[in-house]
Amino acid sequence: MADHSQTIVALRDLLGDRLVTTAADLTLHGQNETYYPNTPPDAVAYPETTEEVSQILKICHAQGCPVVAYGAASSLEGQHLAVAGGISLDMSRMTRVLSLDAEDLKVTVQPGITRKALNEELRATGLFFSVDPGADASVGGMAATRASGTTAVRYGTMRENVLALEGVMADGTIIRAGSGARKSATGYDLAHLLIGSEGTLGIITELTLKLHGVPEAIAAATCRFPRVEDAVNCVILTIQSGIPMARIELVDEMMVRGFNAYAKSDFPEIPHLFLEFHGTDAGVKEQMEAFSDIAGEFGADGFETATTTEARNALWAIRHNSHYASAALGQGGHIWPTDVCVPISKLAEAVLQAQRDAKSMGLTATIVGHVGDGNFHAGLSVDPNDPDEMERAEKFTTALAETALRLGGTVSGEHGIGLGKVKFMNAEHGAAVAYMRAIKTAFDPKNILNPNKMFPAQ
């Protein structure tokens, strides 16, 4: 790797003790939630303002030094890893709520605030920020990876919930994109170009987010099915029937086994749906009755509700820990996570094919998903020191991606590209990849922003 010592000296002059090169800090910033090896940066910078981010990028741009944004490090495709060395730009000190406009249902924040911390700040207002990927991710990281999660079926993904943002370009230029208005017909939509760009086009330093009113009534529930296809077909009919589900999550029998092992729960080890309903008291009751009628057509059993805040939180804590519950089923303690998204009419076919592939390849795999919008995840328990198992895991993820594309879907509905899905970009986007590369070159001609991500090597 290139020598970035001059850049580090210049950044230390700017940041003082907020430019860190200790082994412990570098190791921490080289870790990830999955199977990638530790990839430490050369230094970690802790900015506190947009202006500091701008100065950091001006220095790094002049020196050709890579910069990789770092939020909560909860991404599952290695987006935050500094694989080319350089500077890890840790946004954890940029956590302020800058303004709250309750009348217009919006809030402006710095990117380092996490979704849970933001909702704590909003608690007294009767409003909440809806996007819930499970992990307590930073909202800047959520925007950069176009995160979604369990509530996307009702409230949308980050794409629908970011109104405007401030970003710092590769050369240090500060731009603003979008506005506080709910729509605009002016110019290119640069805000939504940066959303999902995974830090390859600019560094997001401020976000204006859409808020929602806390529902009058909330109820969660679980039910179980004799077969995965019954659960999936229940989901399909529920969505087609227009029931406004707030959450509708599939967990297959292996995922239930993982929950029982990790969370000490006692669910019967057969496929389940985890559900949540939002609205008025009467509306929630009506939604639950309508869903129950549909579920009964597919052999649903054991319909149990959770209406208190404590009971709901306990249920969703089990679901949100699926990554660790999957790891509890394996010997290596590592998970190779992957996800795809398909048209909802093709969901049963995709899920069943994934289960067949895992079985035929001798892999321990869980399936869990935000199936209300056709998105599901497979968690493979792997030992990175077992080459044969890693090879089979690679074959599985490739087969799943091919299944998704064959069915008219995408190789990722949530995890993003990062390192792990670069190889599928040409298959999914074809000639459009060249235009994406052209945008990258225009925004970042020296390729310092999260290099070696997003696109296959040429």
Side-chain angles (χ1 to χ4, degrees):
M1 290 186 182
D3 180 4
H4 302 301
S5 56
Q6 288 186 334
T7 304
I8 291 171
V9 169
L11 291 176
R12 183 163 282 119
D13 289 342
L14 173 70
L15 299 172
D17 61 6
R18 289 185 286 115
L19 192 283
V20 180
T21 57
T22 64
D25 229 39
L26 299 185
T27 298
L28 174 65
H29 286 77
Q31 294 176 350
N32 67 99
E33 288 281 356
T34 60
Y35 60 93
Y36 297 109
N38 193 280
T39 311
D42 293 304
V44 181
Y46 291 89
E48 295 180 347
T49 65
T50 296
E51 290 69 28
E52 282 189 343
V53 174
S54 174
Q55 290 300 313
I56 290 167
L57 284 175
K58 286 177 181 178
I59 290 168
C60 291
H61 188 261
Q63 299 284 342
C65 177
V67 180
V68 181
Y70 184 99
S74 57
S75 62
L76 297 177
E77 292 293 352
Q79 283 94 336
H80 64 283
L81 296 178
V83 294
I87 307 302
S88 179
L89 193 65
D90 190 314
M91 311 300 277
S92 61
R93 299 194 181 195
M94 296 181 66
T95 59
R96 293 170 54 211
V97 173
L98 300 173
S99 65
L100 171 63
D101 188 341
E103 290 184 348
D104 283 329
L105 300 176
K106 65 184 182 181
V107 65
T108 299
V109 299
Q110 290 184 306
I113 192 170
T114 66
R115 65 174 186 87
K116 288 182 180 179
L118 174 56
N119 277 319
E120 281 296 321
E121 292 276 353
L122 296 171
R123 183 181 294 273
T125 68
L127 303 172
F128 77 109
F129 173 60
S130 63
V131 185
D132 178 5
D136 191 19
S138 67
V139 296
M142 290 167 64
T145 55
R146 202 186 300 136
S148 54
T150 58
T151 59
V153 64
R154 174 72 173 262
Y155 297 102
T157 72
M158 285 299 286
R159 180 182 64 187
E160 291 80 35
N161 285 282
V162 176
L163 296 171
L165 58 79
E166 179 182 76
V168 180
M169 301 294 98
D171 65 357
T173 300
I174 300 170
I175 68 165
R176 298 193 66 84
S179 72
R182 289 296 167 123
K183 62 180 182 178
S184 172
T186 65
Y188 296 130
D189 191 351
L190 296 184
H192 288 85
L193 184 58
L194 289 182
I195 296 168
S197 67
E198 302 186 10
T200 63
L201 299 181
I203 305 296
I204 297 170
T205 54
E206 184 180 301
L207 299 118
T208 299
L209 304 170
K210 184 186 299 185
L211 301 177
H212 301 269
V214 174
E216 174 187 320
I218 302 174
T222 62
C223 60
R224 53 186 183 261
F225 294 81
R227 304 177 304 165
V228 163
E229 52 264 51
D230 296 317
V232 173
N233 286 326
C234 174
V235 172
I236 292 171
L237 185 55
T238 298
I239 299 304
Q240 291 173 341
S241 299
I243 300 174
M245 302 299 298
R247 309 186 207 233
I248 184 164
E249 299 283 301
L250 169 72
V251 293
D252 79 347
E253 56 270 31
M254 288 299 291
M255 188 71 263
V256 174
R257 184 175 301 174
F259 288 160
N260 289 343
Y262 180 77
K264 310 305 179 188
S265 53
D266 58 355
F267 295 107
E269 292 182 1
I270 56 177
H272 280 62
L273 292 179
F274 285 20
L275 315 155
E276 192 163 276
F277 307 87
H278 292 181
T280 63
D281 286 327
V284 165
K285 182 179 179 181
E286 182 179 327
Q287 293 167 35
M288 293 177 70
E289 289 175 350
F291 173 82
S292 183
D293 289 343
I294 292 172
E297 296 179 24
F298 295 96
D301 189 18
F303 195 89
E304 298 183 10
T305 60
T307 55
T308 68
T309 300
E310 294 77 14
R312 293 198 315 271
N313 289 346
L315 177 66
W316 293 114
I318 291 172
R319 163 62 186 90
H320 287 332
N321 282 323
S322 60
H323 183 75
Y324 306 106
S326 296
L329 295 176
Q331 301 300 315
H334 290 266
I335 290 297
W336 186 317
T338 189
D339 82 307
V340 295
C341 191
V342 298
I344 193 165
S345 64
K346 305 295 184 181
L347 183 59
E349 183 177 350
V351 169
L352 290 171
Q353 184 63 53
Q355 288 189 319
R356 286 193 295 266
D357 287 346
K359 185 175 181 180
S360 68
M361 295 178 191
L363 294 165
T364 300
T366 60
I367 289 180
V368 59
H370 321 307
V371 286
D373 49 22
N375 180 206
F376 69 93
H377 309 257
L380 308 176
S381 299
V382 296
D383 180 355
N385 297 313
D386 183 342
D388 176 67
E389 189 169 59
M390 295 298 283
E391 182 180 351
R392 284 182 281 126
E394 177 83 22
K395 288 180 179 178
F396 174 88
T397 57
T398 298
L400 183 58
E402 291 171 348
T403 294
L405 294 179
R406 174 175 59 82
L407 296 177
T410 172
V411 301
S412 180
E414 184 168 83
H415 292 182
I417 298 302
L419 293 168
K421 296 200 171 181
V422 166
K423 61 186 177 182
F424 303 125
M425 286 291 282
N426 287 330
E428 178 163 342
H429 295 288
V433 171
Y435 289 88
M436 295 183 195
R437 289 186 189 274
I439 292 169
K440 167 68 171 173
T441 300
F443 276 60
D444 181 19
K446 291 189 175 183
N447 192 30
I448 67 167
L449 295 177
N450 211 3
N452 302 331
K453 308 284 178 64
M454 193 67 77
F455 303 116
Q458 288 182 306

